[in-house]
Amino acid sequence: EAHLTALRDVMGVMQHHDAITGTEKQHVADDYARMLYEGFEACSANIRSVLNQLSGYREDGKFDWSYCKQANISACATTENADNTVVLLYNPLGYGSNDYVRLPVKDGQYSVLNDRGQTVPSTLVPIPSSVIDLPFRESEATHELVFQGEQVPPVGYKTYYVSKEESRDSSSTEMRQ
Amino acid sequence: EDNVSIGNEHVSVNFDENGFMSSITVHGETHSLKQNFLYYDGALGNNEEFRNRSSGAYIFRPNGTEKAVTDVVEIQVVKSDVVQEVHQIFNEWISQVIRVYAGQEHVELEWLVGPIPIDDGVGKEIISRFESDIKSDGAFWTDSNGREMLRRVRNYRETWNLDLVEPVSGNYYPVTAKIAIEDDQSRLAVLNDRAQGGSSLVDGQLELMVHRRLLRDDAFGVGEALNETQYGAGLVARGKHWLFFGSSQKDVSPTLQAKERFLQNKVLLPSWPFVNSADNLLTLDDF
């Protein structure tokens, strides 16, 4: 409860018109960012605990769920450095969703399996050079693996198994001009 | 050498020889639809005079008319069965990806703007502008914090006679979820992922301000210029617009507005992806 309240408190502060519109002084903007970050981190402990219980994983640090905080610059330490990744999609809506997922990865060949072991159509798209060249971006991801979540149930989740394979398929559907 | 087109069975986006989006084809009908990035120079004023203040955090006061950032866009095209994308580079500090996912009826535009150059000593406010052939007759709609859409009429206020001395900013409205125009046949709506200023300054046009960097305080209280930096350079912003184009007819079921509303929920409350690599110890059997 304390973790959740940490973010609740921050969201209360963020109702101020300066936070909504961005008319706060810069040091206040920096402080807002710090508060939000700490709120996220507190809640992520709850999320991790819940997901570990749902998925039956041990809480020994090896099977910890995380989220990609740098997805907005197409970077994710977990997905770009792993050969095998389990992706869990949680749908917060009250009806089914079929959102597309974009995972930052290194170039290669990947397969995506759903919870029934069936292959899910996926593709590898290059990350634009303007993103890769951002001076503060520290990531080895050069591509994004794109696939569609299949009817993720309302307020529920689906999981996918993403694995990197040895060689790139020469019959890739990707075409560049 | 051919003009580029991306799309699916519902919608196709076509590009001209200079790399700009030029038209959209929806259910077999093609309509003119251009998109470009432009910028307004921020006004440098005397804050002691009410009508001569600088553009700043609180107020948007362009100094003159907008300027296009380029005449030619460098593009790269990626096509697959899952998604088709055109990667556009407008200049050293503006780029964009326009994409259409398989089975989806909307177009996604992922823009990246910054660091906005200020070497010339002038602050700039960057907009993404869409130009269509819709005869919008001065009217456009903006949302009210994601709820009902409010009708706005250019150079007009409902309850008093308007003497508008700021023709651009005086027609800007807050857009937190959607801005739209329509005529008897067609409708264009753009959804955004964050609060932005937006307007329709000419019939058939929509514009949204995506980033700003200003060098003067506007004397409305913040006491600082809106000149944010990170790692010693101006801030870079990356975000998304989702574009719907189609019939404005109300007897179509579901209407375009209904589709926009569902999409709004999906893009503003998207599925949360969590990842777990477990130090590469997770086997398929574990899964």
Side-chain angles (χ1 to χ4, degrees):
Chain A
E1 186 66 20
H3 290 166
L4 298 178
T5 298
L7 187 56
R8 288 185 185 121
D9 284 350
V10 178
M11 292 312 294
V13 175
M14 297 297 123
Q15 304 307 304
H16 189 277
H17 62 86
D18 276 352
I20 300 291
T21 57
T23 46
E24 72 277 41
K25 284 180 183 287
Q26 188 59 49
H27 70 270
V28 178
D30 295 341
D31 197 42
Y32 285 168
R34 179 191 62 82
M35 293 164 69
L36 276 169
Y37 175 81
E38 290 179 353
F40 288 162
E41 288 298 298
C43 281
S44 74
N46 296 42
I47 296 273
R48 194 175 300 124
S49 174
V50 167
L51 295 180
N52 280 337
Q53 288 175 51
L54 285 172
S55 57
Y57 291 139
R58 301 192 309 272
E59 297 229 32
D60 61 359
K62 281 186 178 173
F63 295 106
D64 269 353
W65 295 92
S66 61
Y67 59 98
C68 301
K69 281 176 283 199
Q70 295 193 319
N72 64 332
I73 52 170
S74 300
C76 181
T78 302
T79 57
E80 66 195 56
N81 292 312
D83 292 331
N84 305 308
T85 308
V86 175
V87 179
L88 184 146
L89 285 183
Y90 168 73
N91 173 17
L93 294 174
Y95 45 86
S97 181
N98 54 359
D99 288 342
Y100 280 89
V101 182
R102 302 181 74 92
L103 300 177
V105 294
K106 294 173 188 163
D107 195 9
Q109 188 185 353
Y110 295 83
S111 70
V112 181
L113 301 177
N114 64 18
D115 56 329
R116 296 185 298 281
Q118 299 162 327
T119 300
V120 176
S122 63
T123 193
L124 213 55
V125 175
I127 296 170
S129 57
S130 50
V131 176
I132 288 184
D133 296 339
L134 287 170
F136 48 83
R137 183 176 178 271
E138 293 179 2
S139 169
E140 293 182 47
T142 56
H143 289 67
E144 284 182 310
L145 179 67
V146 185
F147 64 94
Q148 187 175 26
E150 309 159 298
Q151 281 303 313
V152 184
V155 207
Y157 68 95
K158 277 206 170 181
T159 50
Y160 296 87
Y161 188 77
V162 176
S163 55
K164 187 176 184 182
E165 296 174 2
E166 286 301 312
S167 62
R168 190 171 176 78
D169 185 358
S170 59
S171 65
S172 165
T173 56
E174 193 175 305
M175 184 181 81
R176 299 182 194 180
Q177 290 174 301
Chain B
E1 292 174 350
D2 295 330
N3 283 355
V4 168
S5 176
I6 56 169
N8 59 28
E9 69 274 28
H10 301 294
V11 58
S12 297
V13 183
N14 314 300
F15 295 79
D16 65 19
E17 64 277 12
N18 291 324
F20 293 99
M21 180 199 286
S22 59
S23 63
I24 189 167
T25 304
V26 182
H27 301 305
E29 283 188 20
T30 299
H31 300 265
S32 173
L33 182 61
K34 299 174 181 170
Q35 187 273 337
N36 197 2
F37 287 95
L38 305 97
Y39 67 92
Y40 296 100
D41 287 336
L44 295 178
N46 173 3
N47 290 335
E48 306 256 318
E49 299 173 28
F50 181 64
R51 290 193 168 181
N52 192 26
R53 290 190 157 183
S54 296
S55 199
Y58 283 93
I59 56 168
F60 161 43
R61 288 198 70 222
N63 179 18
T65 54
E66 74 282 12
K67 301 168 186 169
V69 297
T70 184
D71 298 326
V72 181
V73 179
E74 183 185 329
I75 64 171
Q76 181 188 18
V77 184
V78 184
K79 290 190 176 184
S80 77
D81 294 338
V82 178
V83 65
Q84 300 194 359
E85 298 187 345
V86 168
H87 297 198
Q88 299 176 302
I89 297 178
F90 287 78
N91 61 21
E92 289 176 356
W93 47 279
I94 299 181
S95 63
Q96 181 171 247
V97 177
I98 299 179
R99 61 174 66 101
V100 179
Y101 286 107
Q104 304 293 301
E105 295 183 60
H106 63 273
V107 181
E108 181 173 290
L109 301 98
E110 186 167 32
W111 48 267
L112 186 143
V113 177
I116 298 171
I118 50 170
D119 308 345
D120 54 3
V122 179
K124 298 173 189 65
E125 319 206 23
I126 319 301
I127 60 163
S128 174
R129 178 180 286 170
F130 300 87
E131 293 179 58
S132 73
D133 54 8
I134 292 174
K135 297 171 183 63
S136 51
D137 197 22
F140 57 105
W141 283 260
T142 61
D143 71 295
S144 47
N145 282 340
R147 297 179 177 88
E148 70 174 315
M149 297 297 287
L150 300 178
R151 187 170 188 265
R152 316 292 193 180
V153 177
R154 197 164 53 244
N155 302 325
Y156 177 77
R157 300 292 188 274
E158 279 189 5
T159 51
W160 75 93
N161 292 324
L162 182 65
D163 174 21
L164 198 59
V165 294
E166 303 268 353
V168 176
S169 52
N171 282 304
Y172 257 65
Y173 289 88
V175 181
T176 53
K178 182 166 72 174
I179 184 169
I181 52 172
E182 65 179 29
D183 60 18
D184 291 341
Q185 274 78 44
S186 304
R187 176 179 169 85
L188 167 66
V190 180
L191 281 62
N192 55 356
D193 62 351
R194 66 197 67 188
Q196 292 167 332
S199 188
S200 172
L201 298 176
V202 173
D203 285 356
Q205 279 187 6
L206 285 180
E207 66 184 58
L208 288 163
M209 186 175 290
V210 294
H211 197 7
R212 29 196 331 240
R213 189 178 186 190
L214 299 164
L215 305 179
R216 296 285 183 92
D217 173 44
D218 57 17
F220 271 98
V222 69
E224 291 178 356
L226 192 67
N227 182 14
E228 296 165 288
T229 57
Q230 189 176 27
Y231 300 99
L235 219 56
V236 180
R238 192 186 192 195
K240 289 180 180 176
H241 289 150
W242 296 276
L243 183 150
F244 257 116
F245 194 102
S247 169
S248 59
Q249 303 298 308
K250 301 293 186 284
D251 56 352
V252 179
S253 182
T255 63
L256 198 59
Q257 287 186 56
K259 292 177 181 175
E260 292 161 11
R261 183 64 177 169
F262 273 97
L263 180 68
Q264 182 183 320
N265 284 346
K266 286 192 174 185
V267 295
L268 298 183
L269 284 171
S271 293
W272 306 352
F274 295 96
V275 293
N276 185 345
S277 70
D279 296 336
N280 285 323
L281 296 175
L282 266 179
T283 66
L284 187 56
D285 287 340
D286 289 333
F287 174 64

